[in-house]
């Protein structure tokens, strides 16, 4: 892109005014415009990912693959970060929770990474596909039951559906008892919202969960991690669970919300399956937009720009997926060639379950509320101003109010009986009641969900 010659015509945030700012309302309102500016530099560009936090951002699809698939030259251990070690990163920077080192697979390399990742991937591989669909349907049915009888026939889908649904699914997968599940959800939600003390709440809840599974192992993800041949310590198990929560729930919230909005939008072609809406979301609205900090082990050149050893390089999955050089022949690529789940040794280990959860969530919404529609056009929806994720702030919907049957399940009937091709056709087991027929049980979100599944 040719830069304007008259300084008065240079837009704010353009390189002439310093690094492009990848945060705040201006970025949130027009991320694509920022990516277009950055492409003027070549395959990567200097940005401020947060106030006083400079990084190199890769916007090219080919360059992103080069970095992601070259672990010998680009490592993930952020303890190498020059600016952090030199005291140039503000102690309260919002970049630190995203980029600061944690002892998990995401921030490790080599043999240490292989050991932790193998434990995670093997444990995830034991999750039954039918059970996962069943768990997602249960969570979706519960949440829909809470707003479907609203007399006005309106709801805010992000807060009432897309955000809590992954939290319920993960708490179930982890094998949380109701009270611990409540605190897990409160803790991880508080971390995303910046609530003081949320780290301690989440850590305490997961510590109790791990101790419980030591005493009483069960057929859940937590127990499988603990029993894996990698012999993870309790602290290592805790950090892998946190990674699964943070790396799974927020991106799924974004994917469910955006996919629902696309499917309900005025430009959607009637008759296309929900899978297409989810795929389009992953290509054009990557839920994890800019992330995956890498640290060169030596000075490297990216398209004529030199990045010093141990200076962070972030991957713009959003910009790479919409790289003009790629989109010209994207029809020839596999539908899964997008980088929304990353690539290389650190690619998301749960991409297939994540896709399945998103599709099931949208399908269940459409099946339970067949006349649901958005109250505003898709193009007027507001996006969160975060550089890290691409997520809608709100998604207002309307529908015909209805009383949905209780989707109660006994503890033994949770294991998958539903067909993935017919996610809403399976019979509901247990006592039935209509939404609002009984007072809400006490406790947090997960306690109320478990009580609802038991017909209490």
């Amino acid at each position: 892109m040719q830069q304007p010659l008259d300084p008065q015509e240079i837009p704010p945030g353009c390189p002439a005014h310093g690094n492009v700012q990848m945060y705040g309302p201006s970025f949130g309102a027009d991320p694509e415009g920022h990516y277009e500016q950055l492409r003027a530099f070549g395959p990567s560009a200097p940005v401020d990912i947060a106030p006083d936090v400079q990084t190199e951002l890769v916007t090219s699809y080919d360059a992103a693959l080069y970095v992601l698939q070259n672990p010998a030259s680009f490592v993930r251990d952020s303890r190498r970060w020059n600016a952090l070690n030199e005291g140039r990163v503000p102690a309260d920077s919002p970049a630190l929770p995203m980029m600061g080192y944690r002892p998990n697979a995401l921030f490790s390399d080599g043999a240490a990474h292989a050991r932790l990742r193998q434990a995670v991937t093997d444990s995830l591989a034991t999750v039954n596909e039918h059970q996962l669909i069943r768990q997602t349907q249960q969570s979706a049915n519960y949440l829909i039951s809470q707003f479907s009888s609203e007399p006005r026939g309106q709801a805010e889908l992000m807060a009432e559906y897309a955000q809590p649904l992954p939290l319920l699914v993960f708490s179930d997968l982890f094998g949380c008892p109701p009270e611990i599940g409540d605190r897990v959800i409160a803790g991880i939600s508080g971390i995303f919202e910046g609530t003081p003390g949320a780290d301690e709440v989440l850590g305490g809840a997961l510590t109790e969960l791990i101790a419980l599974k030591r005493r009483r192992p069960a057929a859940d993800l937590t127990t499988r991690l603990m029993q894996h041949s990698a012999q993870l310590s309790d602290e290592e198990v805790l950090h892998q669970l946190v990674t699964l929560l943070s790396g799974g729930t927020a991106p799924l919230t974004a994917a469910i919300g955006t996919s629902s909005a696309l499917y309900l939008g005025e430009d959607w072609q009637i008759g296309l399956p929900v899978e297409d809406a989810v795929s389009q979301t992953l290509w054009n609205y990557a839920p994890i937009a800019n992330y995956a900090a890498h640290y060169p082990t030596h000075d490297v050149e990216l398209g004529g720009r030199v990045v010093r050893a141990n200076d962070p390089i972030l991957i713009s999955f959003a910009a790479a997926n919409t790289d003009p050089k790629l989109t010209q022949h994207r029809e020839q690529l596999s539908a899964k060639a997008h980088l929304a789940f990353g690539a290389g040794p650190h690619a998301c280990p749960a991409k297939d379950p994540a896709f399945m959860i998103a599709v099931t969530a949208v399908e269940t919404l459409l099946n339970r509320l067949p006349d649901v529609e958005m109250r505003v056009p898709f193009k007027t929806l507001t996006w969160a101003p975060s550089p890290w994720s691409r997520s809608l702030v709100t998604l207002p919907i309307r529908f015909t109010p209805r009383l949905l049957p209780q989707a109660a399940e006994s503890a033994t009937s949770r294991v998958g009986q539903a067909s993935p091709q017919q996610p809403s056709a399976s019979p509901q087991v247990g006592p039935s009641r209509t939404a609002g027929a009984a007072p809400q049980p006490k406790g947090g979100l997960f306690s109320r969900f478990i009580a609802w599944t038991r017909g209490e």
Side-chain angles (χ1 to χ4, degrees):
M1 185 178 86
Q2 184 178 2
Q3 296 295 310
L5 299 178
D6 184 349
Q8 298 301 317
E9 297 179 4
I10 299 176
C14 208
H17 295 299
N19 291 353
V20 176
Q21 292 186 359
M22 301 291 289
Y23 58 89
S26 175
F27 171 74
D30 186 23
E32 290 82 7
H34 285 68
Y35 299 140
E36 184 179 355
Q37 291 178 14
L38 293 174
R39 292 187 179 107
F41 286 90
S44 70
V47 304
D48 288 346
I49 201 70
D52 300 316
V53 179
Q54 297 82 37
T55 70
E56 191 78 5
L57 185 69
V58 174
T59 57
S60 156
Y61 184 91
D62 290 339
L65 277 179
Y66 171 69
V67 173
L68 292 167
Q69 296 178 339
N70 192 354
S73 296
F74 302 95
V75 299
R76 300 296 299 271
D77 189 338
S78 59
R79 290 174 294 186
R80 306 171 69 106
W81 187 359
N82 286 329
L84 182 63
N85 293 332
E86 295 164 7
R88 293 187 283 116
V89 176
D92 60 349
S93 172
L96 279 177
M98 303 300 295
M99 296 175 62
Y101 175 78
R102 297 175 188 271
N104 59 35
L106 196 62
F107 292 94
S108 59
D109 303 286
H113 168 256
R115 172 176 169 268
L116 295 173
R117 182 179 174 86
Q118 196 64 51
V120 172
T121 54
D122 288 350
S123 299
L124 286 169
T126 64
V127 175
N128 181 276
E129 177 181 303
H130 296 280
Q131 179 187 10
L132 184 60
I133 290 174
R134 187 75 157 196
Q135 288 171 323
T136 305
Q137 288 175 324
Q138 277 192 314
S139 301
N141 285 329
Y142 166 70
L143 294 169
I144 294 170
S145 77
Q146 303 306 293
F147 63 75
S148 62
S149 59
E150 165 63 43
R152 295 183 304 150
Q154 296 183 0
E156 203 294 282
L157 204 66
M158 293 304 294
E160 297 181 67
Y161 190 70
Q163 290 172 4
L165 194 153
L167 297 171
L168 291 176
V169 173
F170 272 73
S171 296
D172 214 354
L173 284 172
F174 285 5
C176 292
E179 190 273 335
I180 291 180
D182 288 342
R183 286 189 289 138
V184 166
I185 290 175
I188 192 65
S189 300
I191 288 173
F192 287 132
E193 296 163 4
T195 305
D199 272 324
E200 290 76 10
V201 172
L202 179 61
L206 291 177
T207 298
E208 285 188 33
L209 177 64
I210 292 167
L212 172 65
K213 300 305 176 182
R214 288 283 180 208
R215 299 191 305 269
R216 296 199 297 272
D220 53 56
L221 199 56
T222 305
T223 300
R224 291 168 191 139
L225 271 174
M226 296 170 65
Q227 294 179 344
H228 191 269
S229 59
Q231 297 184 324
L232 273 57
S233 67
D234 286 359
E235 182 182 8
E236 288 175 325
V237 171
L238 185 150
H239 284 291
Q240 308 326 303
L241 291 176
V242 171
T243 303
L244 287 168
L245 276 172
S246 58
T249 55
L252 269 172
T253 288
I256 293 168
T258 305
S259 300
S260 299
L262 282 173
Y263 197 91
L264 298 174
E266 60 275 13
D267 294 331
W268 188 253
Q269 183 177 336
I270 296 176
L272 290 179
V274 168
E275 286 87 346
D276 283 12
V278 177
S279 292
Q280 185 171 324
T281 293
L282 297 175
W283 272 108
N284 297 333
Y285 306 91
I288 301 178
N290 305 286
Y291 195 50
H294 290 72
Y295 301 85
T297 56
H298 52 83
D299 292 359
V300 297
E301 182 178 328
L302 294 173
R305 290 183 50 77
V306 176
V307 182
R308 285 195 313 152
N310 298 324
D311 277 354
I313 297 175
L314 292 181
I315 307 297
S316 179
F317 301 108
N321 279 350
T322 57
D323 184 344
K325 295 180 180 179
L326 178 71
T327 54
Q328 292 172 4
H329 55 86
R330 204 167 81 181
E331 296 79 7
Q332 304 170 10
L333 297 174
S334 163
K336 297 181 180 181
H338 59 77
L339 298 181
F341 292 124
H346 284 273
C348 175
K351 55 186 178 181
D352 290 337
F355 189 88
M356 190 183 305
I357 291 170
V359 169
T360 302
V362 179
E363 287 182 342
T364 305
L365 175 72
L366 298 172
N367 289 335
R368 294 303 187 191
L369 302 175
D371 64 349
V372 64
E373 60 183 12
M374 287 196 295
R375 303 200 323 257
V376 298
F378 180 86
K379 294 179 180 178
T380 66
L381 294 170
T382 302
W383 301 88
S386 166
W388 314 105
S389 63
R390 180 72 157 148
S391 185
L392 292 168
V393 176
T394 61
L395 180 52
I397 60 169
R398 59 176 165 242
F399 48 86
T400 300
R402 65 198 69 218
L403 297 180
L404 296 181
Q406 162 81 357
E409 303 284 350
S410 68
T412 56
S413 68
R414 283 192 183 186
V415 178
Q417 300 295 326
S419 165
Q421 283 75 37
Q422 297 177 314
S424 64
S426 57
Q428 303 297 342
V429 180
S432 175
R433 64 174 174 82
T434 54
Q440 283 282 0
K442 295 181 179 179
L445 175 63
F446 195 60
S447 288
R448 298 194 299 271
F449 166 64
I450 293 299
W452 183 85
T453 64
R454 294 171 178 168
E456 297 174 2

